Amino acid sequence: MKKHVLICLIVCSIVTLTGCSILQFSNLLNCKFAMAGVQNVTWAGINFSNVSSAKDLSITNLSKAMEAIKNLDFTITCDVNVKTENPTNRMARLIGYDYELFLNNQPNAIATGSSRDKEYIIPANSSMVIPIPVKMNLVSVIKNREVGSIIKCIKDIQDKGNGTSSDVKVKFTPYLSMGRTPIKLSPITLTKTFQSSPKATKQDRKQAKEASTHKR
């Protein structure tokens, strides 16, 4: 008798967990995404939050910038914020993403990356901002390798990313899970305008269905 009760409890738990996964799967598909701006831009160990020109650099930071140019180091880091809006009455769960960053309508991405080590819970009927840490090499963008020109390029990226009409675009590919099975959605190109969450492909839906059936 105890054995039967234990089996029933295990089955009920699996069904409940699977049901939650299905709801989270469905809810993420109803979410909308938009690029919310670029911040925390750094180059050569210099934070550019309050730097508009070479005149704003301290002697120490100017020395860092000159050293970076000497070493042909044109790599900047920043956070590209993605705003996620959940219009449903239940939470949605994002378990990871891939991204590609594009500048000034160029055909090739200037930075790519992914995240699988953190999940994001988007509460019901609310929104949250997901900061994507980006590292990009501006060597193909910078023509004049002087401190002033590099700062102008950095500020241009920051300003365009934060402007109403942005020339900074992110191709964003969300991941959700069905049980322990990661499901990759189709990529969407994010601008400052909200985009509907991509629907799962036939293969994604088949994989989710198989995972759901297996969990039962």
Side-chain angles (χ1 to χ4, degrees):
M1 180 67 180
K2 290 183 178 179
K3 184 178 180 180
H4 289 162
V5 172
L6 180 60
I7 292 173
C8 287
L9 289 173
I10 292 173
V11 170
C12 288
S13 297
I14 292 174
V15 170
T16 300
L17 289 173
T18 302
C20 289
S21 295
I22 292 172
L23 284 173
Q24 291 171 8
F25 180 99
S26 175
N27 290 343
L28 190 64
L29 294 181
N30 289 318
C31 287
K32 295 182 179 180
F33 298 87
M35 198 183 75
V38 178
Q39 64 181 49
N40 300 325
V41 182
T42 63
W43 169 59
I46 307 167
N47 189 304
F48 282 82
S49 298
N50 298 309
V51 176
S52 297
S53 68
K55 295 179 180 179
D56 298 325
L57 295 178
S58 65
I59 295 177
T60 300
N61 284 341
L62 182 60
S63 177
K64 289 180 180 178
M66 296 297 293
E67 185 68 18
I69 293 174
K70 178 182 176 181
N71 295 329
L72 300 180
D73 177 9
F74 303 106
T75 300
I76 73 167
T77 61
C78 62
D79 289 334
V80 176
N81 293 325
V82 172
K83 188 173 183 179
T84 308
E85 186 178 81
N86 178 11
T88 73
N89 293 323
R90 294 179 181 272
M91 72 174 190
R93 180 168 169 252
L94 176 74
I95 66 166
Y97 56 80
D98 298 333
Y99 76 84
E100 294 179 87
L101 183 72
F102 297 85
L103 297 178
N104 302 323
N105 296 316
Q106 293 183 358
N108 298 321
I110 195 170
T112 62
S114 62
S115 173
R116 299 286 186 281
D117 57 357
K118 186 176 181 180
E119 68 174 38
Y120 300 89
I121 303 298
I122 304 98
N125 296 307
S126 63
S127 61
M128 69 178 296
V129 173
I130 300 172
I132 299 178
V134 172
K135 179 184 288 187
M136 68 181 88
N137 192 338
L138 298 181
V139 67
S140 63
V141 177
I142 296 172
K143 305 302 181 183
N144 186 354
R145 297 178 180 179
E146 296 178 352
V147 174
S149 297
I150 296 171
I151 292 175
K152 183 179 183 303
C153 182
I154 290 173
K155 293 302 294 180
D156 192 42
I157 291 171
Q158 192 173 43
D159 292 344
K160 286 182 177 178
N162 294 331
T164 303
S165 178
S166 178
D167 287 330
V168 180
K169 295 180 176 61
V170 178
K171 184 177 284 187
F172 185 71
T173 305
Y175 281 75
L176 45 75
S177 68
M178 179 62 68
R180 294 184 179 180
T181 304
I183 305 296
K184 179 180 180 179
L185 300 184
S186 301
I188 47 175
T189 299
L190 303 183
T191 61
K192 302 291 287 186
T193 303
F194 271 109
Q195 308 290 324
S196 296
S197 179
K199 302 302 181 184
T201 64
K202 290 182 179 179
Q203 184 177 354
D204 295 330
R205 289 194 293 269
K206 180 180 178 182
Q207 187 178 6
K209 184 177 179 181
E210 289 174 350
S212 176
T213 303
H214 178 71
K215 292 299 178 182
R216 291 192 181 96

